[in-house]
Amino acid sequence: MEFEPLSLGNDVIEFDMMGLGDIDHSVDHDDVLHDSPPTAIPTPSVSDVVGSAAIFEPYIPEGDTNLEPYEGMEFESEEASKAFYNSYARRTGFSTRVSMSRRSRRDGAIIQRSFVCAREGFRVDKHGKPGSDREGRVKRPRPETRVGCKAMLVVKIQDSGKWVVSAFVKEHNHELVPPERVHCLRSHRHVSGAAKSLIDTLQGAGIGPRGIMSALVKEYGGIKNIGFTERDCRNYMRSSRQRTLGGDTQLLLDYLKDKQAKDPAFFFAVQGDEDQCMSNVFWADPKARIDYTYFGDTVTFDTTYRSNRYRLPFAPFTGVNHHGQPVLFGCALLINESEASFLWLFKTWLIAMSGRPPLSITTEHDRVISLAITQVFPDTRHRFCKWHIFKECQEKLSYVYCEHSNFEAELHKFVNLTESVEEFESCWLSLIDKYDLREHQWLQLIYADRRQWVPVYLRDTFFAEISITQRSDSMNSYFDGYVNASTTLLLFVKQYEKALESRYEKEVKADYDTINTAPILKTPSPMEKQSAGLYTRKMFMKFQEELVETLTFLAMKVEDEEAGSIYQVSKFGESHKAYFVRFNVHEMKAFCSCQMFEFSGLLCAHILTVFRVTNVLTLPPHYILKRWTRNAKSGVILEERASDLLNKSQESLTVRYNNLRHEALKYVDEGVKTVEIYNVSMDALEEAANRVSLAKKNDGRLAIISRAGRDDGFHLGSRSNTFGDHKWGFETLSADEQDKKIQKLERQLDRAQRKCELYRASLLSVLKDIEEQKLQLSVKVENIKLGMKESSIV
């Protein structure tokens, strides 16, 4: 029997999901589930495996399903009214549940049914107490989703047997969900009878959950149309995975050329003769290049993922987004791992990323890679992945691991938990003496490289790691289930793209969780409330852990210096394990000996403890790293990040260098377009060189005047500088009087700069409000577009 494709739109799943057929009334409707979004891998065509499987058509209620409910509207059955309201909810952007029902006193039959928004009412525990009392007893409380929404539909049965709408409340007191996230809502997630039949058939053919989800995505025209997630599919079946693969080198090159022809922003490069044989290939899709502009401050490069039949090293460039999730910045397949290959790859990748090197990069412990990075990224902090070193240690010291069961635990403890360089050095010597390893050549090698992999040496550099001791998502897990030892080159790239789609869906899911669910606050601190509205969900939870931990710390001022006061911070009874925080109350700047903020971008409990005892109630703006906020990708935040970079440039030579080089490259691109523009550019560069030379002679003060001159009308080149028609009169003053005049002007300038900072903060607050309004409007526009699209279909 040939399989007939399902010609069903969104309504297929939504009508079935209200419980038409086998509804499970035991499901808790309290919260929207937050499952991992479905992923997709190539599978045999559905027609190859379905055979004679029966495909059931779900019940579709009569009438125009694009209508809005109204009082007096009639349905043939209660099930039809359920399906209609859930269909309306899906189009509108909310989830539904059954709230109340009324039964006949005569025969107990249901005569009235109420369907409400899933965010109706407020959560109560099993004892009937408010949710706030419950939170203290639950170890890991779920986020609160009920907000007292009044939206509802009430239907009653008539003497004729039909059901009629007796009440309808349209308005919601919360934001509605945009179309691309509707499938995350609970009432729109259900494994229908038709889907179950297809899953059973595919499972019988030996296809696993991801393969089945891939077939369903294709069949229903997208993940959001399936009506359930991969976790729902896994709950329904368990099986091993199977794939059908094929392809060759020329097809890979043709594929990449086709992608670039369709989208000029798609970047790819091939090292070698494209027409005869491929040496190395690199590609980066537009999203990877855009993501790098947001999250390209730290990068991981991993060549240990070998996954195809040609045994070519799979080399992804990855980073971390604002949810702490892995994000890709490009990918390469290398024919070999020579220094020349890595040099070509790093230079090519840097071109794809607009010539902007990262602040830090993490790689495996490899001499050849290290040499290439030194040449291409001379100003980037290079770190070896300690987990690769630990794995290599198991191989090099296998006999030690077998003979001494405590060795591994001690090694990890000394590497991860030492607080100072001196402590690590002492512990390392103690360890190698204890196990008689002083002469071990490999240990000597990694000890010589200790400044590039032991955390205590690296904490002054940003690596976007929230925990030093916990391993972050590896790239192996990123592509797990999409490629294996027999994957061909062409399908390797396609699988790569499908993995990206899955990761993007997870990012959308994290955005949804952050925006639509309010985190549970554990303290009355204004700082906690402030951070809950700024950070993404995961980053807030980490910050919340640090904030709550301050309740276990004591802070004692031990010294007053011109640069600020020094506090000793330690837990009660553990003064021997103290941290030292230097805090300048005038500049609102703090530095902790643990250097957590420098390493991860979140403030540690030690600094937060000092803030608590000095009555700092909210986070200073310069301690809110924008890459961790929920608006990390917004235009407003981009402006703030540029401003932050300018401010921090006075503190970091590397940042200043990268910023100037980036601006200069953009200037060069514009300056070579025509001969006339080139001549103007050369004159401007000569003038800039003269100003820089003068500024160097005057300790940089002239640079400030020159910059002001461009904006405010300062005219240099005469003994009596003018601002408009005003004469400064410096020529009539003595040297002492001129110094006093300059000091007075500098104080005025300082006050003006402080006022500018206040105005800037107020402006950014207004811009953030505008950005939020834009997001709300975009949701409404998407809902209107969806409604218009469905109306046109009907």
Side-chain angles (χ1 to χ4, degrees), residues 69 80 88 176 182 276 395 487 594 649 666 687:
Y88 166 75
L176 298 176
V182 167
Q276 298 180 11
E395 300 172 359
T487 307
C594 78
S649 66
K666 292 195 300 185
E687 181 183 354

Side-chain angles (χ1 to χ4, degrees), residues 232-273:
D232 299 323
C233 181
R234 287 180 179 275
N235 288 340
Y236 184 73
M237 49 78 62
R238 291 284 184 262
S239 181
S240 60
R241 292 183 287 265
Q242 179 177 324
R243 300 159 184 84
T244 301
L245 305 168
D248 58 27
T249 301
Q250 189 57 47
L251 287 176
L252 169 65
L253 297 177
D254 292 342
Y255 173 81
L256 293 176
K257 291 176 183 177
D258 181 64
K259 292 288 289 184
Q260 191 177 63
K262 292 178 179 178
D263 187 349
F266 183 92
F267 182 99
F268 92 96
V270 177
Q271 183 187 29
D273 188 348

Side-chain angles (χ1 to χ4, degrees), residues 403-542:
E403 295 176 4
H404 306 282
S405 58
N406 294 329
F407 175 78
E408 183 176 19
E410 291 183 55
L411 176 64
H412 283 237
K413 177 182 176 181
F414 295 156
V415 170
N416 291 322
L417 302 181
T418 47
E419 298 290 345
S420 66
V421 171
E422 294 76 14
E423 183 183 1
F424 169 76
E425 297 283 355
S426 174
C427 291
W428 181 268
L429 292 176
S430 174
L431 181 72
I432 62 175
D433 284 341
K434 179 179 178 179
Y435 295 101
D436 193 21
L437 297 172
R438 272 188 178 267
E439 303 303 320
H440 196 284
Q441 292 185 355
W442 182 81
L443 280 179
Q444 292 176 358
L445 174 64
I446 63 168
Y447 177 73
D449 293 334
R450 63 193 180 281
R451 290 176 177 80
Q452 288 184 265
W453 67 276
V454 178
V456 72
Y457 294 97
L458 298 162
R459 288 176 183 159
D460 60 342
T461 304
F462 182 73
F463 285 97
E465 282 194 13
I466 304 305
S467 172
I468 291 178
T469 57
Q470 184 177 4
R471 183 172 186 174
S472 58
D473 254 343
S474 68
M475 293 315 300
N476 290 10
S477 64
Y478 195 116
F479 293 101
D480 184 31
Y482 293 90
V483 291
N484 58 32
S486 62
T487 307
T488 59
L489 287 177
L490 178 63
L491 284 178
F492 180 87
V493 178
K494 290 185 177 181
Q495 298 295 68
Y496 162 91
E497 289 191 340
K498 290 187 177 182
L500 290 186
E501 291 176 5
S502 173
R503 287 290 179 177
Y504 174 70
E505 179 67 16
K506 290 180 180 179
E507 182 178 338
V508 170
K509 173 78 167 47
D511 286 336
Y512 170 85
D513 291 344
T514 295
I515 295 173
N516 293 281
T517 59
I520 297 171
L521 303 183
K522 297 182 179 180
T523 73
S525 167
M527 189 178 293
E528 183 181 17
K529 184 176 181 180
Q530 173 199 18
S531 60
L534 291 172
Y535 290 124
T536 60
R537 170 57 52 81
K538 183 172 182 180
M539 293 307 114
F540 168 73
M541 291 177 65
K542 177 57 183 174

Side-chain angles (χ1 to χ4, degrees), residues 127-141:
H127 302 292
K129 297 180 180 180
S132 58
D133 294 335
R134 174 179 176 269
E135 292 162 10
R137 302 191 301 272
V138 179
K139 196 169 186 180
R140 298 180 63 183

Side-chain angles (χ1 to χ4, degrees), residues 162-173:
K162 292 188 176 183
W163 291 73
V164 64
V165 176
S166 61
F168 171 58
V169 178
K170 177 181 178 180
E171 292 74 21
H172 297 258
N173 67 348

Side-chain angles (χ1 to χ4, degrees), residues 287-302:
K287 184 179 185 302
R289 303 178 73 183
I290 293 173
D291 282 342
Y292 183 78
T293 65
Y294 299 118
F295 310 114
D297 40 18
T298 184
V299 174
T300 297
F301 175 69
D302 187 3

Side-chain angles (χ1 to χ4, degrees), residues 148-423:
C149 183
K150 301 295 184 182
M152 64 181 298
L153 180 79
V154 180
V155 293
K156 292 182 179 179
I157 192 170
Q158 304 296 300
D159 294 337
S160 62
K162 292 188 176 183
W163 291 73
V164 64
V165 176
S166 61
F168 171 58
V169 178
K170 177 181 178 180
E171 292 74 21
H172 297 258
N173 67 348
H174 55 87
E175 291 185 8
L176 298 176
V177 177
E180 66 271 15
R181 300 175 188 164
V182 167
H183 64 283
C184 296
L185 298 173
R186 170 168 289 187
S187 73
H188 307 304
R189 296 171 51 231
H190 175 72
V191 183
S192 66
K196 288 179 180 178
S197 177
L198 183 56
I199 290 173
D200 290 339
T201 304
L202 294 173
Q203 181 181 5
I207 301 172
R210 288 177 178 167
I212 292 174
M213 290 304 295
S214 177
L216 291 169
V217 166
K218 181 178 179 181
E219 198 62 39
Y220 287 99
I223 291 175
K224 64 182 181 180
N225 298 328
I226 296 177
F228 54 88
T229 66
E230 182 181 334
R231 179 174 296 182
D232 299 323
C233 181
R234 287 180 179 275
N235 288 340
Y236 184 73
M237 49 78 62
R238 291 284 184 262
S239 181
S240 60
R241 292 183 287 265
Q242 179 177 324
R243 300 159 184 84
T244 301
L245 305 168
D248 58 27
T249 301
Q250 189 57 47
L251 287 176
L252 169 65
L253 297 177
D254 292 342
Y255 173 81
L256 293 176
K257 291 176 183 177
D258 181 64
K259 292 288 289 184
Q260 191 177 63
K262 292 178 179 178
D263 187 349
F266 183 92
F267 182 99
F268 92 96
V270 177
Q271 183 187 29
D273 188 348
E274 293 187 24
D275 296 327
Q276 298 180 11
C277 62
M278 180 189 69
S279 176
N280 301 311
V281 60
F282 167 80
W283 70 94
D285 59 33
K287 184 179 185 302
R289 303 178 73 183
I290 293 173
D291 282 342
Y292 183 78
T293 65
Y294 299 118
F295 310 114
D297 40 18
T298 184
V299 174
T300 297
F301 175 69
D302 187 3
T303 58
T304 61
Y305 196 103
R306 293 167 175 82
S307 56
N308 52 71
R309 70 171 65 166
Y310 302 104
R311 303 301 296 169
L312 301 180
F314 173 49
F317 293 86
T318 68
V320 179
N321 68 9
H322 51 322
H323 298 292
Q325 300 169 329
V327 58
L328 261 68
F329 300 141
C331 185
L333 290 169
L334 303 178
I335 198 66
N336 59 57
E337 296 184 6
S338 66
E339 183 178 347
S341 292
F342 289 122
L343 281 171
W344 171 85
L345 175 60
F346 293 152
K347 290 178 181 178
T348 303
W349 177 79
L350 194 58
I351 292 172
M353 300 299 123
S354 302
R356 295 173 52 217
L359 297 178
S360 61
I361 187 169
T362 303
T363 72
E364 63 176 304
H365 184 231
D366 184 275
R367 183 187 62 84
V368 176
I369 294 177
S370 182
L371 290 173
I373 285 179
T374 301
Q375 296 180 58
V376 182
F377 307 116
D379 300 306
T380 297
R381 186 73 178 271
H382 182 203
R383 177 180 69 164
F384 297 132
C385 178
K386 67 180 177 184
W387 302 107
H388 287 160
I389 291 179
F390 286 154
K391 183 178 180 181
E392 197 174 2
C393 188
Q394 293 177 342
E395 300 172 359
K396 302 289 186 180
L397 301 172
S398 57
Y399 67 96
V400 180
Y401 277 69
C402 293
E403 295 176 4
H404 306 282
S405 58
N406 294 329
F407 175 78
E408 183 176 19
E410 291 183 55
L411 176 64
H412 283 237
K413 177 182 176 181
F414 295 156
V415 170
N416 291 322
L417 302 181
T418 47
E419 298 290 345
S420 66
V421 171
E422 294 76 14
E423 183 183 1

